[in-house]
Amino acid sequence: MRFFSPMFNGLVRSFSMRRGKNPGNSDDGREAAETMAKEAKKNDMILRSSGFVNVDGSNNLASVFSRRGRKGVNQDCAIVWEEFGCQEDMLFCGIFDGHGPWGHFVAKKVRESMPSSLLCNWQETLARVSLDPDMDLESDEKHQRFHIWKHSYIKTCAAVDHVLEQHRKIDSFYSGTTALTIVRQGDIIYVANIGDSRAVLATNSDYGTLVPIQLTVDFKPNLPQEAERIIQCKGRIFCLDDEPGVPRVWLPNEESPGLAMSRAFGDYCIKDYGLISVPDVTQRHITNKDQFIVLATDGVWDVVSNEEAIQIVSSTPDKAKAAKCLVEFAARAWKKKRKGIATDDISAICLFFLSSPFSQHEVSLVTALK
């Protein structure tokens, strides 16, 4: 990347100065990441509620909306962070779907800790690589950048899950959350997925029609690679009699917890029986054919197809309200397709790739779209 913020350059220098002394110490990186998060929040660069965010000069516009279902408190939450890490060409967004008695607390805790932890790990990894005399970042920049992000994501998710397990005020033994996040860095997006939320890219085909490209795998227990791991770890997979199409993960000798996904933060009751919190990390180059990405929880995808989702979003005149239109369409679809079943929490982020800045001169942050 050609531009680094002064704060990041200072972090690189700090690594260089203490090289060989205590390279495993991440206090400097953690403090820098936390400072960046505070500055971003103060400058309205972070959105954590329904609304939209677009920064003057940015190539992104993010629309966010979440609707509580009929199962109790809304356990979904989301975040959008413009100029992630004080980098003008970077954006972070994520959507989290909690489950279990403490699911809403788990989801919000992961939303709170994951961005700063990822930023810290990315900066530390990049700093170390830049100081390695045997590493040539210029020779294969795209390849190196992907592996830096992948390493950073894997390290971050392991750390977040470990800290969550030790948390004294959040009982995540029988509760957890999914996590679907994206980092946009220039014309590259890095996608990391844990659970069964989904990211779908809307792109123009060679014939000029808008088509969906699914960027993530829905990590359900019956996927062959997931089922193999769970069974090897002595976990069980089966559907309830009243849910014949919903495979769930169970303990070896108990009818619990019955998770409908194979990867999640938390849920320590079944972490020894095949459930993991390892992210699937991929990358994609964004071209002028690509219009937007939809990130949504399974409350959307259980009743809305990929094709329907991109058509709803693309046909919404006001991009800032695109997520709300999609969520409300999904809520109506639940009533038609899932009669007698309590509506799930439904949440979505619509991230638009703008060829020119949104038609406003200042940061726009609206949170009154409900």
Side-chain angles (χ1 to χ4, degrees):
M1 191 168 61
R2 289 177 288 277
F3 169 79
F4 294 109
S5 70
M7 193 175 294
F8 175 77
N9 285 327
L11 179 61
V12 174
R13 287 194 298 272
S14 74
F15 271 91
S16 180
M17 291 173 61
R18 72 168 186 261
R19 190 180 183 187
K21 295 181 180 180
N22 188 11
N25 187 351
S26 61
D27 288 345
D28 288 357
R30 191 175 297 111
E31 290 177 6
E34 291 174 355
T35 300
M36 291 177 188
K38 290 178 182 178
E39 286 297 312
K41 184 177 180 180
K42 184 172 68 175
N43 295 324
D44 289 336
M45 298 289 186
I46 295 180
L47 176 66
R48 290 191 177 95
S49 59
S50 295
F52 76 93
V53 60
N54 174 259
V55 177
D56 184 35
S58 173
N59 290 327
N60 308 297
L61 185 150
S63 171
V64 183
F65 196 79
S66 182
R67 173 177 172 142
R68 180 175 63 87
R70 295 184 176 274
K71 299 180 180 180
V73 63
N74 189 349
Q75 295 188 308
D76 289 357
C77 61
I79 183 172
V80 177
W81 181 345
E82 268 277 21
E83 296 188 10
F84 185 50
C86 297
Q87 304 303 310
E88 292 181 351
D89 69 339
M90 281 173 52
L91 173 142
F92 174 93
C93 60
I95 201 158
F96 311 87
D97 183 357
H99 53 264
W102 291 70
H104 50 301
F105 292 111
V106 177
K108 288 181 179 179
K109 182 60 181 177
V110 173
R111 179 186 65 178
E112 173 190 326
S113 59
M114 190 174 182
S116 295
S117 180
L118 176 63
L119 183 59
C120 174
N121 285 316
W122 172 71
Q123 290 179 322
E124 289 187 1
T125 304
L126 191 55
R128 291 175 190 276
V129 169
S130 68
L131 296 172
D132 186 346
D134 298 324
M135 185 66 67
D136 183 8
L137 285 174
E138 300 297 327
S139 62
D140 191 357
E141 183 181 1
K142 182 178 179 181
H143 179 76
Q144 294 295 344
R145 285 168 68 174
F146 172 69
H147 282 283
I148 288 170
W149 277 111
K150 183 175 181 179
H151 172 80
S152 302
Y153 257 117
I154 291 173
K155 186 177 179 181
T156 294
C157 292
V160 168
D161 201 52
H162 176 72
V163 171
L164 183 63
E165 186 177 15
Q166 306 301 317
H167 202 289
R168 295 182 178 181
K169 295 183 179 180
I170 299 177
D171 184 358
S172 49
F173 192 71
Y174 288 105
S175 299
T177 186
T178 66
L180 170 58
T181 66
I182 283 181
V183 171
R184 181 180 183 184
Q185 186 178 29
D187 59 357
I188 304 292
I189 57 168
Y190 303 94
V191 185
N193 186 34
I194 295 176
D196 56 359
S197 293
R198 185 186 304 171
V200 175
L201 172 70
T203 189
N204 287 317
S205 70
D206 293 337
Y207 301 100
T209 57
L210 198 64
V211 295
I213 298 176
Q214 187 168 321
L215 301 179
T216 55
V217 175
D218 300 345
F219 283 111
K220 302 291 189 180
N222 60 332
L223 286 178
Q225 71 273 20
E226 303 295 290
E228 181 180 4
R229 181 188 68 247
I230 292 167
I231 293 171
Q232 285 180 347
C233 294
K234 309 302 182 184
R236 296 181 297 157
I237 304 168
F238 61 85
C239 304
L240 295 173
D241 292 339
D242 58 349
E243 292 181 319
V246 184
R248 296 180 179 275
V249 186
W250 308 86
L251 289 166
N253 301 307
E254 295 180 36
E255 303 299 295
S256 175
L259 294 180
M261 74 287 299
S262 57
R263 302 190 186 198
F265 286 107
D267 297 304
Y268 301 105
C269 66
I270 202 165
K271 275 284 166 67
D272 291 335
Y273 301 99
L275 184 81
I276 61 174
S277 55
V278 179
D280 181 41
V281 184
T282 58
Q283 69 174 345
R284 184 177 178 88
H285 179 257
I286 297 299
T287 72
N288 57 9
K289 290 185 176 182
D290 301 325
Q291 302 300 306
F292 57 85
I293 293 178
V294 176
L295 290 77
T297 59
D298 63 341
V300 170
W301 307 117
D302 282 349
V303 292
V304 179
S305 69
N306 294 350
E307 291 78 9
E308 287 175 322
I310 66 166
Q311 289 302 320
I312 293 162
V313 172
S314 64
S315 62
T316 303
D318 185 354
K319 290 182 173 65
K321 296 182 179 179
K324 181 180 181 182
C325 290
L326 176 59
V327 167
E328 290 183 341
F329 179 90
R332 293 192 296 269
W334 267 88
K335 294 178 181 178
K336 295 178 182 178
K337 299 179 180 181
R338 299 292 185 93
K339 293 181 179 180
I341 300 176
T343 306
D344 198 2
D345 300 326
I346 308 173
S347 304
I349 299 174
C350 300
L351 176 62
F352 293 91
F353 308 128
L354 305 180
S355 56
S356 60
F358 192 53
S359 57
Q360 296 192 19
H361 300 292
E362 298 179 76
V363 175
S364 299
L365 185 59
V366 177
T367 58
L369 294 179
K370 291 185 179 180

